Amino acid sequence: MSNRILPVVLALLPALAMGAKDYQLQSPSGKIVADISADKELRYSISYGGQSMLAPSAVSMTLSDGTVVPGDKVKVKKVTRASGDVTLPSPLYRRSEVRDNYNALTLQLAQGWEVQFRAYDDGVAYRFVYTSKKPLEIESEMVEYVFPADYTMTVPYVRSGNDGDFNSQWFNSFENTYTVTPVSELNGGRLSFLPLVADAGNGVKLCVTETDLNAYPGMYLAKGDGNTLKGYFAPYPTSVEAGGYNNIQGVVKERASYIAKADGARAFPWRVAVIGSDTDIASSDLSWLLSEPSRIADVNWIKPGKVAWDWWNYWNIIGVDFEAGVNTATYKHYIDFASENGIEYVIIDDGWAAGKGEDLMVINPDIDLEAILAHAAKKNVGIILWAGYGAFNRDMDAICRHYAGMGVKGFKVDFMDRDDQLMTGFNHKAAETAAKYGLLLDLHGTHKPAGLNRTWPNVLNFEGVHGLEQMKWSPGTVDQMKYDVTIPFARQVAGPMDYTQGAMHNATRSSYYPCGQQPMSQGTRCHQLALYMVLDGPLNMLCDSPSNYRKEPESTAFIADVPTVWDETLVLDGKIGEYIVTARRKGDTWWIGGITDWTPRDIEVDLTPLSLGAGSRMELFADGVNAHRNANDYVKSDMSVAPGSKMKFHLAPGGGFAAKIRK
């Protein structure tokens, strides 16, 4: 740990006050200012470099007994100011250290409540904290984002349910492409899940998210009056039945009149506004910084890595003497492929448990799990098992204990598809139980990470993304290329994601079509390679089949060599919805990935921030001259790179480039 300065806390009268009940909080650089008004209600506004970003927006909590916190006449008992500047170790993340530099303001209210504000140089966050031991029920939470103008929004709508019926929208997969539209034209009858982005003009964006989400419902936003977004939360489930996919999902039949219960003192989630340029937004660590620190004292047993995955490629292996499918011979083949290429894990996806996977203690008779695990151990490959939510939740302690004892390294848990209080609590319980038995988790079919990856770092990845699996069935009208250059500035602000990249069958916009049994990606080969640097994923999939990878040894070797956690990450250039260039360092080696939407473009990348030494060499994968006709076309080259040089790259439609720079 370096540059450690312990926070200094002072109890003050309202300094920097604009009035008796008005308070101001500035970021360390002074560029971001939050003005807080505690009068008839509690409101806050934000400016950035003198530009209004957020007009006065109300915050409150209403309890089931009718109490409103802080009430219609806000009474502030005490004001506490603090500052912090400390460098935190961040293993299993996109950089090995994270600077936590902020100014803070806490308003102590009546009846055991306080509101905490923090201002960083890249955003502002606030949360409610309850300090009493008395249990309570939260009927609702008031969250507003009142924009000073008709900002252009980039929002992911909930895909399920009916317009105007929010109750039908709570059950959803948190997977959708983005809608770009002014606030005034948003669909007020449809919820949007987080994160989402507002364009304030002048090259400045505001990304709304939340973090430190635990045993509390996730927040959705929908259009309110004027240029306002209002927060909505799934009510507390009182009756849940097995249903949905293979009867392994929890289908809510009845809900309470309140959104959450608290047994006593607790902190509630941080409401986060990340502010800055496009690259500032994509570089933000606020979701990680504002979450609860790791509950695992020693994380050395947690091994990130890449995963050979069976489901997306439909077990399409050829040239073998057995019928491929969910059987022992197939998974031994995947293990052999992983071992040959230094890939750390193999996932055995849906189908290894008998029937529809309702009981994880009963194994498909075509699967000799003990033999598979023995083969994997011999080849130094870890096995991760897929598990449906309902089956895993039924007795997760016994399941984790049993399979950890057999040598399984982790679980990919799927089909949660809710983020009410019970489900966000489940994610934490699953993480804790898995950690107890030394197991990794990949939470698929779930909401954004919201800080869980810091609190329980054995949870290496999360879905909550319209990932490559969607290309098995999505029509050509779905623009995955625009999506790919949007998520680094939106969804990824909340944490890593299980996108499942690595397709070897690549298609142009006109040649793409959905094919579940022999799937393809939109965009070029180099676009797929670049995603391993552009996207965060401590547990990263190789989605295609061993047979397809063996046909493409150059691409496969590059993917297999890419790290999944990093010492340093720099977003060198980018614009939401158009393109991005990301550089990541592991040791003395830099990896750079750049991608574009369907618009071909020429990009100049300044390598000065990388501080390259003399004699550096670049291994480069670039779109071939005919990649606009055949997306599989690429050129591999090796060249010297001078320190401080600027390099030009041509990106084909849906294209990209991927580079490795070493001494």
Side-chain angles (χ1 to χ4, degrees):
M1 197 175 294
S2 60
N3 300 325
R4 186 172 179 90
I5 304 173
L6 296 177
V8 178
V9 180
L10 299 172
L12 302 173
L13 293 173
L16 291 175
M18 298 173 290
K21 295 183 178 180
D22 294 330
Y23 313 92
Q24 191 174 89
L25 179 66
Q26 297 184 1
S27 68
S29 70
K31 192 168 188 176
I32 293 179
V33 178
D35 290 314
I36 301 143
S37 174
D39 193 3
K40 293 182 179 180
E41 56 185 347
L42 185 62
R43 293 178 176 267
Y44 78 109
S45 60
I46 305 173
S47 63
Y48 175 86
Q51 177 183 349
S52 176
M53 299 294 300
L54 191 69
S57 302
V59 302
S60 67
M61 280 192 170
T62 300
L63 310 184
S64 292
D65 64 4
T67 301
V68 179
V69 182
D72 56 1
K73 291 186 178 181
V74 183
K75 295 181 179 179
V76 178
K77 297 173 63 177
K78 183 179 179 182
V79 179
T80 303
R81 292 185 180 272
S83 62
D85 192 356
V86 57
T87 299
L88 302 170
S90 50
L92 307 168
Y93 189 54
R94 61 184 176 181
R95 54 186 112 254
S96 59
E97 294 182 333
V98 180
R99 185 182 181 189
D100 191 17
N101 185 25
Y102 62 88
N103 291 323
L105 173 74
T106 298
L107 303 180
Q108 183 179 329
L109 309 174
Q111 298 179 327
W113 286 90
E114 60 186 40
V115 185
Q116 300 176 349
F117 291 86
R118 283 194 187 182
Y120 291 80
D121 284 337
D122 61 342
V124 172
Y126 77 88
R127 68 175 176 183
F128 284 89
V129 176
Y130 181 59
T131 59
S132 172
K133 296 180 180 180
K134 183 180 178 182
L136 52 79
E137 292 175 354
I138 299 155
E139 180 181 291
S140 62
E141 181 180 350
M142 166 64 81
V143 180
E144 284 187 332
Y145 293 92
V146 182
F147 300 117
D150 195 10
Y151 290 171
T152 297
M153 306 299 302
T154 299
V155 304
Y157 286 125
V158 169
R159 290 196 299 186
S160 60
N162 303 314
D163 281 5
D165 180 8
F166 289 170
N167 197 54
S168 68
Q169 298 175 32
W170 302 128
F171 188 84
N172 76 94
S173 64
F174 307 93
E175 300 167 304
N176 203 358
T177 55
Y178 291 91
T179 297
V180 181
T181 185
V183 177
S184 61
E185 297 180 17
L186 286 171
N187 182 351
R190 180 125 325 246
L191 297 168
S192 297
F193 54 90
L194 304 180
L196 53 77
V197 180
D199 187 343
N202 300 314
V204 184
K205 307 293 194 299
L206 186 154
C207 178
V208 178
T209 191
E210 62 184 343
T211 196
D212 205 26
L213 179 64
N214 181 13
Y216 194 81
M219 183 171 69
Y220 299 80
L221 293 173
K223 185 182 182 304
D225 296 333
N227 300 321
T228 300
L229 297 179
K230 293 186 63 176
Y232 294 87
F233 303 83
Y236 186 89
T238 54
S239 176
V240 183
E241 297 180 359
Y245 176 75
N246 281 351
N247 213 40
I248 58 170
Q249 294 180 274
V251 179
V252 178
K253 295 298 184 179
E254 295 180 4
R255 295 184 182 273
S257 59
Y258 53 87
I259 64 172
K261 299 189 291 185
D263 294 330
R266 63 159 296 170
F268 294 91
W270 287 99
R271 311 283 169 228
V272 185
V274 184
I275 301 169
S277 67
D278 295 64
T279 55
D280 291 336
I281 299 293
S283 303
S284 178
D285 297 311
L286 291 188
S287 182
W288 190 92
L289 282 168
L290 289 164
S291 57
E292 180 186 348
S294 176
R295 296 188 187 181
I296 302 174
D298 181 6
V299 300
N300 289 323
W301 63 270
I302 302 171
K303 304 299 183 185
K306 291 178 288 294
V307 186
W309 183 38
D310 58 337
W311 181 86
W312 189 83
N313 59 75
Y314 200 69
W315 306 271
N316 265 315
I317 51 177
I318 59 176
V320 295
D321 59 359
F322 57 87
E323 183 175 351
V326 183
N327 56 53
T328 302
T330 296
Y331 289 113
K332 285 186 175 181
H333 187 88
Y334 276 80
I335 290 166
D336 290 342
F337 164 74
S339 178
E340 291 163 12
N341 291 278
I343 296 165
E344 292 85 351
Y345 298 100
V346 166
I347 280 182
I348 304 179
D349 214 285
D350 190 8
W352 67 269
K356 295 182 178 180
E358 306 98 323
D359 188 343
L360 297 178
M361 292 299 196
V362 183
I363 298 176
N364 181 340
D366 293 329
I367 294 287
D368 186 340
L369 189 57
E370 290 186 352
I372 290 171
L373 289 167
H375 189 69
K378 183 179 178 182
K379 296 287 186 172
N380 197 31
V381 174
I383 295 297
I384 297 172
L385 297 177
W386 181 94
Y389 156 74
F392 190 79
N393 187 48
R394 192 170 297 119
D395 193 357
M396 70 175 70
D397 191 277
I399 290 166
C400 289
R401 181 175 63 251
H402 175 75
Y403 286 107
M406 290 183 67
V408 169
K409 301 302 181 183
F411 283 95
K412 174 184 175 181
V413 186
D414 203 353
F415 286 103
M416 284 73 88
D417 290 348
R418 297 177 6 236
D419 64 348
D420 50 52
Q421 184 177 29
L422 291 183
M423 191 58 76
T424 60
F426 162 82
N427 281 353
H428 277 258
K429 181 182 177 183
E432 182 177 18
T433 305
K436 177 181 174 182
Y437 295 104
L439 295 170
L440 309 175
L441 280 185
D442 173 10
L443 293 178
H444 215 65
T446 193
H447 56 84
K448 62 193 177 300
L452 184 61
N453 54 306
R454 182 185 182 190
T455 307
W456 293 106
N458 61 315
V459 187
L460 290 176
N461 220 341
F462 305 74
E463 195 180 19
V465 64
H466 190 274
L468 195 68
E469 71 174 33
Q470 302 289 328
M471 296 298 98
K472 285 171 71 77
W473 52 75
S474 294
T477 52
V478 172
D479 190 345
Q480 193 71 4
M481 296 297 91
K482 185 176 182 64
Y483 183 81
D484 285 357
V485 291
T486 301
I487 50 177
F489 309 92
R491 162 61 180 85
Q492 193 161 274
V493 175
M497 51 194 165
D498 193 11
Y499 183 95
T500 64
Q501 63 266 44
M504 293 293 103
H505 182 188
N506 315 113
T508 65
R509 195 167 198 174
S510 60
S511 65
Y512 165 82
Y513 61 93
C515 182
Q517 297 187 13
Q518 295 187 44
M520 67 192 74
S521 76
Q522 292 183 1
T524 70
R525 171 69 53 77
C526 291
H527 187 108
Q528 285 293 302
L529 299 182
L531 289 176
Y532 286 94
M533 284 73 78
V534 170
L535 304 182
D536 292 331
L539 190 71
N540 251 343
M541 306 287 172
L542 281 78
C543 69
D544 223 319
S545 75
S547 299
N548 286 347
Y549 285 122
R550 288 183 172 120
K551 292 177 184 177
E552 302 287 347
E554 288 184 331
S555 298
T556 302
F558 183 88
I559 293 170
D561 200 28
V562 178
T564 62
V565 295
W566 305 90
D567 295 323
E568 189 175 357
T569 293
L570 300 173
V571 181
L572 299 177
D573 196 6
K575 186 176 181 180
I576 185 170
E578 296 186 13
Y579 71 99
I580 187 169
V581 179
T582 302
R584 301 182 190 262
R585 180 180 60 82
K586 188 70 172 180
D588 294 330
T589 302
W590 281 97
W591 302 76
I592 309 174
I595 58 173
T596 181
D597 59 2
W598 287 119
T599 302
R601 63 184 78 241
D602 295 300
I603 296 176
E604 183 176 75
V605 179
D606 185 357
L607 301 181
T608 303
L610 309 189
S611 300
L612 300 176
S616 295
R617 297 198 65 82
M618 173 185 287
E619 178 186 325
L620 174 66
F621 287 75
D623 291 329
V625 67
N626 290 305
H628 65 295
R629 296 175 179 271
N630 185 331
N632 298 291
D633 186 29
Y634 72 89
V635 176
K636 180 188 176 189
S637 57
D638 190 281
M639 66 195 75
S640 62
V641 183
S645 59
K646 296 181 179 180
M647 297 196 65
K648 294 181 179 180
F649 303 92
H650 176 73
L651 279 61
F657 72 91
K660 175 184 178 181
I661 304 177
R662 61 198 184 280
K663 289 185 176 180

